[in-house]
Amino acid sequence: MNDRVRIETQSAIAFVIIDNPPVNAGSWETRSGLLAAIEQCEHDPNVAAIVVIGAARMFMAGADINEFDVPIRDPQMPAVIAAIEDCAKPVVAAISGAALGAGYELALACDARIATEDAVVGLPEVLLGVIPGAGGTQRLPRLIGVSRAIDLIGHGRRVVAREALRDGMIDALATEDLRKKAAQLATSLKGEKHRLRDALVPPETEAVIEDAAAKTLAQAKGDRAVVAAIASVRKAATLPFAQALVEERAAFHELRQTREAAAKRYLFFAEREAARVADIRGAKARTVGRVGVVGAGTMGVGIALCFLDAGLTVSLVERDAASLEAGLERLSAAYRRMVDSGRISDEVMASRLAHVAPSIDMHTLADADLIIEAVFEDMDIKRSLLRELDGIARPGAVIASNTSYLDLDALARETSRPSDIVGLHFFAPAQIMGLLEIVRGAYTAPDVLATALSVAKEIGKTPIVARVGEGFIGNRLYSAYRQQCEFMLEEGAFPEQIDAALVAFGFAMGPFAVADLSGLDIAWRTRQRLAATRDPKARYSDVLDRLCEAGRLGQKSGKGWYAYPDGARRGVPDDETRAVIEDASRRKGVTRRTINDAEIIHRAICAIANEAALLLAEGISQRPSDVDLAMVRGYGFPTREGGPLFWAARLEPQELRRWLAVIAACVGHGFRLGDVAATVEPLAPAATPPQST
Ligand code: COA
């Protein structure tokens, strides 16, 4: 057909083979090849039935996302799908790897679907800011009902083959030889077509549908794609098929061109790019089978959970029996919560806990391939621990520090093997947060960095690689953000106003509510540590110090930026905090003024963008998209905005300059202006598809 699609005929079965590595995305060439192949098979008298199958590990990962930035060239996927349905001969989808998005829509156009046991199917389009645009919202409800389809499409769920079989999303499992089993299935159809477009939508009451829609919407926080997906699925029960299809396609095209969808595509590619480090290509990761975690506090236990969940064995080490006991209780409680919420079974919990080797003897780490220290964030404690581990760890073991601020190189120098030391900065709660900041020290060997990247993949985290510098990437950006917000307090705003503006912008929580949750004393300690080196002429807001001195350490002490009367989880504005803020303004001779939400948002985010430009110039971060990914995956920056640099790239250049000037003036002495404009070019798509003809 063309070099992406070919036909092999065997005993009256035509195998239409999709061969578009690496993931068989439905590019223009693939669609053209498929259309031509179906037409040829239709007219070939030697063909009785057709099997569509992937050449290698994958059926089809979806539409080619690279094509979404420009008008999509004909033939588009609906034409391929119509050709399959219109074809008089039965067509079977033989699914290996993944049939996602347009790939599953292609499968839904077929007369039957068979999949290997390890395959996943689903319509995850909403995660990329669009809805299925090739009939998925109309054919899936005909197969599994409107309410189930709302849940699956509205959340972008991926369904493993066994579950898909149970729900009717596929018709058969191929435990061996997919090609042979698919041919048997095609023959068994005896020339009959089973078109989903002709099927009736299974009857359901409006209440059941409404319930599914309400539950899905509740989690979507107004996400336009989810809203549109639900509306489109509902049309399966109310509109003629052809009309609903036209409306689905129109909604898809409209959403494809939105800023949200562009941001999500950008992050999709950013995520894949992040794991690449140019100058370690070819370095081979060391094998990691046994992991040691030192410190069974909240962080250590969270880290242990990540590895246990990935099926590894973890030695969990503490200084004394009481701390170890408390850590093990934390671990069991975390698993108990997972069982209670139905996420795992009792058996899974038991098997994961059986992979924990608790000890108060550091020497049990002697056979670990990777040791992660997660002890108290204090240089002296970490230094002496690193020296101790150096004497215990086997040669070739990777030793990682979970430090979020401290100088990794100084820690590495404590050991006789600095090249085996790397930073693995997890974010709390470690078992939930998707980001892993990998710190590459001056001495870290390429294969140690490769090991860290491979470990990140194994435990399902998005890695970003940072060089050593105060706060690395994430915390340095966050400090700039928080500092700007604190300056705005001195100038006239209050915490609740700043938090509300940033939540309306899309942050999961505002900076002051976050600080209360994690405890103000962490930042307080850091400030004390840095006090000696701080330029006395630099602007410094001491409001947080004053609050801490007054015993306001955050939610855990019942008050912080906010008050938490009677153990409330949501803080309420507090007069004492207001008084401390107003006093700070007075002491600095600042006349308080009204700061509107637009100023809050622009100053807060441009401050991050400026710091990002500085750390890119210093080589702390490899690329702008890593910075955006860090903020989105680690700090609750809204996905729909793509990250601070992606956002800044969409400001008018003069507006960006204006806000940077405002920040420069407000920070004053010592302010460093980064070349934000030079760093805000969004990541280019991997390939530029042909323009519409
Ligand atoms: N369009 C274009 N490129 C795609 C793609 C798509 N739909 N899906 C994956 N790719 C590319 C990736 O960018 C990556 O390219 P790179 O090697 O140049 O970085 C390559 O294919 C491999 O993808 P990766 O995700 O690293 O492979 P994997 O084996 O870990 O995972 C999938 C495979 C299919 C599970 C995963 O790629 C995926 O989830 N894809 C998106 C599915 C989707 O959302 N489809 C709906 C589209 S609207």
Side-chain angles (χ1 to χ4, degrees), residues 21-26 57-58 60-68 97-103 120 122-128 130-132 158 252 268-269 272-273 276 457 686:
V23 293
N24 275 354
R57 63 181 182 119
M58 191 94 38
M60 184 184 282
D64 189 333
I65 304 167
N66 291 302
E67 294 185 5
F68 283 9
L100 295 169
V120 290
L123 296 171
E125 281 87 345
V126 294
L127 304 179
L128 287 164
V130 292
I131 65 168
R158 294 163 188 227
F252 161 77
F268 176 86
F269 289 115
R272 277 141 188 88
E273 194 62 21
R276 296 198 173 104
K457 193 171 168 87

Side-chain angles (χ1 to χ4, degrees), residues 423-492:
L424 288 181
H425 175 211
F426 288 81
F427 291 74
Q431 69 275 26
I432 291 172
M433 297 297 284
L435 187 68
L436 179 62
E437 190 170 38
I438 298 178
V439 185
R440 178 184 193 183
Y443 313 102
T444 308
D447 67 330
V448 170
L449 183 56
T451 309
L453 287 163
S454 128
V455 160
K457 193 171 168 87
E458 192 164 358
I459 61 174
K461 303 279 183 218
T462 299
I464 48 157
V465 176
R467 286 285 193 177
V468 175
E470 175 73 24
F472 310 119
I473 296 176
N475 279 337
R476 177 158 160 196
L477 295 174
Y478 200 76
S479 294
Y481 166 68
R482 214 167 43 188
Q483 183 197 52
Q484 195 57 220
C485 292
E486 288 179 21
F487 288 167
M488 286 191 273
L489 291 182
E490 288 183 341
E491 291 164 34

Side-chain angles (χ1 to χ4, degrees), residues 595-662:
I595 298 185
N596 65 27
D597 289 357
E599 177 172 349
I600 292 172
I601 291 165
H602 284 85
R603 280 179 60 180
I605 314 254
C606 286
I608 309 178
N610 186 61
E611 201 63 33
L614 292 175
L615 60 79
L616 281 159
E618 292 163 20
I620 304 276
S621 171
Q622 298 190 90
R623 53 180 83 86
S625 57
D626 282 7
V627 166
D628 283 334
L629 208 51
M631 286 305 295
V632 170
R633 298 281 184 260
Y635 294 87
F637 194 97
T639 311
R640 64 165 189 252
E641 300 294 348
L645 290 173
F646 186 88
W647 178 87
R650 275 142 192 81
L651 292 180
E652 289 296 328
Q654 66 272 26
E655 202 188 357
L656 177 61
R657 275 198 299 275
R658 184 165 72 82
W659 285 113
L660 289 171
V662 169

Side-chain angles (χ1 to χ4, degrees), residues 290-295 314-320 324 357-371 384-395 397 417:
R290 203 175 173 93
V291 178
V293 176
V294 185
V314 176
S315 302
L316 188 61
V317 178
E318 256 296 352
R319 285 275 169 216
D320 56 79
L324 185 63
S359 178
I360 51 167
D361 180 2
M362 207 68 92
H363 288 88
T364 53
L365 299 170
D367 63 349
D369 306 307
L370 166 67
I371 303 173
S384 84
L385 177 62
L386 263 279
R387 276 197 300 274
E388 192 177 353
L389 289 175
D390 187 27
I392 291 170
R394 68 165 180 76
R417 44 175 126 188

Side-chain angles (χ1 to χ4, degrees), residues 81-275:
I81 279 170
I84 292 177
E85 275 194 336
D86 291 343
C87 175
K89 298 170 185 174
V91 185
V92 165
I95 302 168
S96 60
L100 295 169
Y104 187 55
E105 291 180 299
L106 187 69
L108 288 172
C110 295
D111 300 281
R113 290 151 286 280
I114 180 167
T116 55
E117 280 186 292
D118 59 353
V120 290
V121 300
L123 296 171
E125 281 87 345
V126 294
L127 304 179
L128 287 164
V130 292
I131 65 168
T137 65
Q138 301 309 303
R139 290 189 183 86
L140 187 60
R142 285 172 161 75
L143 205 51
I144 64 170
V146 171
S147 63
R148 283 279 294 135
I150 285 176
D151 175 60
L152 282 176
I153 299 175
H155 290 95
R157 289 193 208 285
R158 294 163 188 227
V159 182
V160 293
R162 252 178 214 291
E163 223 179 283
L165 179 68
R166 192 195 61 207
D167 289 359
M169 292 176 74
I170 58 171
D171 303 291
L173 267 188
T175 44
E176 26 112 36
D177 200 342
L178 175 65
R179 191 176 152 124
K180 193 169 117 199
K181 294 287 174 194
Q184 286 168 357
L185 180 60
T187 309
S188 75
L189 294 176
K190 299 195 172 69
E192 278 178 19
K193 294 289 285 180
H194 296 271
R195 298 180 178 96
L196 277 174
R197 71 176 181 211
D198 298 334
L200 293 175
V201 177
E204 281 178 293
T205 63
E206 180 55 27
V208 170
I209 294 174
E210 190 47 49
D211 185 51
K215 282 193 181 127
T216 307
L217 276 176
Q219 284 172 25
K221 294 189 188 146
D223 186 311
R224 284 170 69 178
V226 177
V227 173
I230 294 171
S232 190
V233 173
R234 294 186 84 141
K235 289 177 190 166
T238 56
L239 287 187
F241 182 77
Q243 186 187 342
L245 222 49
V246 169
E247 293 184 15
E248 178 203 69
R249 190 74 185 160
F252 161 77
H253 276 308
E254 193 191 323
L255 286 163
R256 174 173 76 77
Q257 295 168 68
T258 58
R259 182 181 159 131
E260 290 96 312
K264 288 175 183 175
R265 287 198 289 277
Y266 164 73
L267 289 168
F268 176 86
F269 289 115
E271 195 134 21
R272 277 141 188 88
E273 194 62 21

